[in-house]
Amino acid sequence: MVLVPLNSREGEERVESLKSSRLPNFHELSPEERLRVVKEFAGLTEEEVEILRNTGSLPLDLANRMIENVIGATHLPLGIATNFLINGKDYLIPMAIEEPSVVAAASNAARMARMKYGFRASADEPVMIGQVQVCKLKDPEEARRRILEGRERILAKANEQDPLLVKAGGGAREVEVRVLDTRMGPMVVVHLLVDVRDAMGANAVNTMCEAVAPLVEELTGGKVYLRIVSNLAVYRKARAEASFPKEALGGEEVVEGILYAHALAAADPFRCSTHNKGIMNGIIAVALALSNDVRALEAGAHSYAAMGGYKPLTSWEREENGDLRGRIELPLAVGVLGGATGVHPVARVCRKILGVGSSKELAEVMAAVGLAQNLAALRALVAEGIQRGHMKLHARNVAMAAGARGEQVEEVVRRMVEERCIRIDRAREILAQLEQRG
Ligand code: MEV
């Protein structure tokens, strides 16, 4: 099959770059054919293609150096979301996820966004917060003053720990002090603000916090217990916005429905949890592909959403012409250096496919993916419902779990979908019938 990066559907494409991620028939290709397309798009070497092709690409000895008590490695399917145009640049987006429909949904939303201008995204400088907890203080306000007086010494001590980071333009930048009333009495929390450049940053920040703790004790006469990064990375937020044509979404009724869906999420934490979960479906899938710390991202996103009452991470409004505009903002402490990002062979290839030059650019891409994912979920929910898209892929998993192989899979799926009965016992029955027939 020949793949055409199509720019030609009348009225559909307004913005195209030379290397287009608009690949209308990508999903119809075989995995091998898709690999060829991605290889060409990202300039992968044959060796890198081989790493992707070989789905067990984490060698045991490498896994054994990453965590403790290793006995193997587990794998997720790695898909590519197409159609993303972010700040005028085309991206093919690697996503690692076990849930059907997420990759297709992101690609579909990105296709609609590029009918206008794609996504406009931005990210803050990569500044993380490290916390140093100071307890047993006679006078917390006096301790606060002393810490602020010692600001230069604290920053210098922190920066001594990581000359490479400082050389790369990062390092400890600022000291903040908060006095908190707690169940154990008043205490002071020092925030060390550290520009971690292209890393996720927890290691650098934790090292600095541990190093400055004795100095903080000396300045305050208090007792330091915790010295650790905060995942509520409010200085490291990313944003994206996009506009979606009402016709592409399915008309005014769908736009209206999405506004109602957003209103419910804003009013009800039970719905908001699922709304934000859908956003994180996309963000976490990209993070997993690039071996980023997904627990840190989840913690950051949901704690940010909960500041001042749990709220949706996206907002939606109708434009004057009836089109739908969406925005997302959340902390995204993501990295392209350090941790497992540079160790895991598949993560390294995924980063090359994504073609991001910095942690900021990665955060911008992930914000756009989160917005796309939310749009796709809300559109499906208010239009045909989420199950239709899921059904076939879900049925395929059920068929395979029941033992169907090769051509049997499609036949079992076809019959279960037709009967609207997607259950493992039914899959087994159909399979038994097929096998009887030979
Ligand atoms: C499923 O993984 C995600 C959704 O539930 C998100 C949502 O409801 O907005 C579809």
Side-chain angles (χ1 to χ4, degrees):
M1 184 177 304
V2 185
L3 191 104
V4 220
L6 247 205
N7 309 330
S8 59
R9 281 191 198 167
E10 279 276 310
E12 190 178 336
E13 309 296 343
R14 301 240 176 103
V15 200
E16 288 302 335
S17 59
L18 284 177
K19 203 164 76 167
S20 179
S21 65
R22 176 80 184 102
L23 304 173
N25 56 345
F26 190 73
H27 63 286
E28 291 163 13
L29 304 181
S30 69
E32 272 299 329
E33 288 169 322
R34 290 189 201 118
L35 261 177
R36 273 216 309 278
V37 174
V38 173
K39 177 182 183 209
E40 199 167 310
F41 182 94
L44 300 185
T45 63
E46 205 31 67
E47 201 181 319
E48 286 166 332
V49 169
E50 197 47 41
I51 288 174
L52 297 178
R53 190 180 279 127
N54 168 12
T55 54
S57 276
L58 186 62
L60 203 57
D61 62 333
L62 201 54
N64 195 35
R65 275 180 270 137
M66 289 171 80
I67 64 160
E68 309 75 37
N69 299 355
V70 163
I71 58 161
T74 178
H75 308 291
L76 288 170
L78 178 69
I80 292 286
T82 56
N83 304 332
F84 274 85
L85 182 70
I86 306 168
N87 295 336
K89 175 174 166 185
D90 269 275
Y91 292 88
L92 287 183
I93 309 223
M95 298 175 85
I97 188 160
E98 87 300 345
E99 184 175 329
S101 300
V102 171
V103 176
S107 307
N108 193 32
R111 178 185 63 80
M112 292 188 264
R114 71 186 295 143
M115 290 176 188
K116 306 283 284 284
Y117 48 81
F119 298 86
R120 292 180 183 141
S122 64
D124 297 332
E125 292 303 310
V127 174
M128 298 294 290
I129 300 171
Q131 294 194 297
V132 180
Q133 175 199 29
V134 201
C135 307
K136 303 187 180 177
L137 293 161
K138 287 198 194 76
D139 183 347
E141 285 303 331
E142 177 60 17
R144 181 217 293 265
R145 272 193 295 281
R146 296 233 171 123
I147 293 164
L148 290 175
E149 274 165 23
R151 173 184 176 275
E152 293 299 329
R153 285 176 69 198
I154 294 174
L155 292 178
K157 184 80 198 164
N159 281 329
E160 268 172 29
Q161 311 309 311
D162 205 332
L164 279 183
L165 179 62
V166 174
K167 200 161 161 229
R173 292 269 186 271
E174 198 44 89
V175 175
E176 293 175 344
V177 190
R178 298 158 65 221
V179 179
L180 299 179
D181 268 326
T182 78
R183 61 196 294 182
M184 295 295 282
M187 61 181 74
V188 159
V189 179
V190 182
H191 280 187
L192 190 62
L193 309 192
V194 185
D195 182 329
V196 297
R197 294 286 89 198
D198 285 323
M200 288 174 270
N203 275 334
V205 171
N206 294 343
T207 305
M208 288 183 180
C209 288
E210 290 188 7
V212 303
L215 175 55
V216 170
E217 285 185 335
E218 180 196 313
L219 290 167
T220 60
K223 163 82 186 152
V224 167
Y225 285 108
L226 302 190
R227 297 145 294 165
I228 188 77
V229 73
S230 167
N231 291 122
L232 180 50
V234 289
Y235 295 115
R236 201 180 184 181
K237 294 198 290 281
R239 297 156 205 89
E241 61 107 358
S243 172
F244 300 87
K246 62 173 181 297
E247 301 80 17
L249 291 167
E252 280 169 17
E253 186 60 31
V254 175
V255 171
E256 180 100 337
I258 292 175
L259 296 178
Y260 273 98
H262 177 243
L264 177 59
D268 175 20
F270 289 91
R271 169 58 204 156
C272 194
S273 170
T274 322
H275 179 104
N276 288 341
K277 188 271 184 183
I279 293 168
M280 298 311 284
N281 272 349
I283 289 176
I284 294 299
V286 181
L288 280 171
L290 272 78
S291 266
N292 268 238
D293 180 346
V294 297
R295 286 89 49 208
L297 293 174
E298 290 283 9
H302 292 287
S303 54
Y304 180 66
M307 288 176 87
Y310 191 62
K311 289 286 175 289
L313 294 163
T314 53
S315 61
W316 294 98
E317 68 191 24
R318 199 187 337 240
E319 295 176 339
E320 261 174 32
N321 65 0
D323 290 350
L324 184 73
R325 177 191 299 273
R327 289 196 176 79
I328 185 169
E329 180 181 83
L330 76 168
L332 281 173
V334 290
V336 293
L337 266 187
T341 59
V343 178
H344 198 300
V346 177
R348 291 161 65 118
V349 181
C350 285
R351 177 175 167 204
K352 187 162 170 187
I353 294 171
L354 195 54
V356 288
S358 65
S359 64
K360 269 177 80 172
E361 189 181 351
L362 176 56
E364 289 168 358
V365 167
M366 284 162 86
V369 173
L371 184 63
Q373 212 71 59
N374 185 228
L375 182 276
L378 297 186
R379 200 208 62 77
L381 284 168
V382 305
E384 70 270 8
I386 211 78
Q387 282 310 95
R388 200 169 86 185
H390 271 206
M391 214 149 65
K392 205 160 167 211
L393 284 160
H394 174 56
R396 191 166 291 147
N397 286 339
V398 172
M400 289 197 294
R405 294 291 174 267
E407 285 171 9
Q408 290 173 334
V409 177
E410 286 316 309
E411 183 55 16
V412 176
V413 168
R414 193 189 62 72
R415 286 184 46 190
M416 285 196 298
V417 170
E418 198 177 275
E419 294 166 13
R420 301 182 84 80
C421 173
I422 298 164
R423 289 203 322 256
I424 190 132
D425 54 334
R426 183 63 192 136
R428 287 198 186 110
E429 280 169 18
I430 300 173
L431 199 55
Q433 288 167 8
L434 290 178
E435 276 166 2
Q436 252 176 16
R437 271 196 245 145

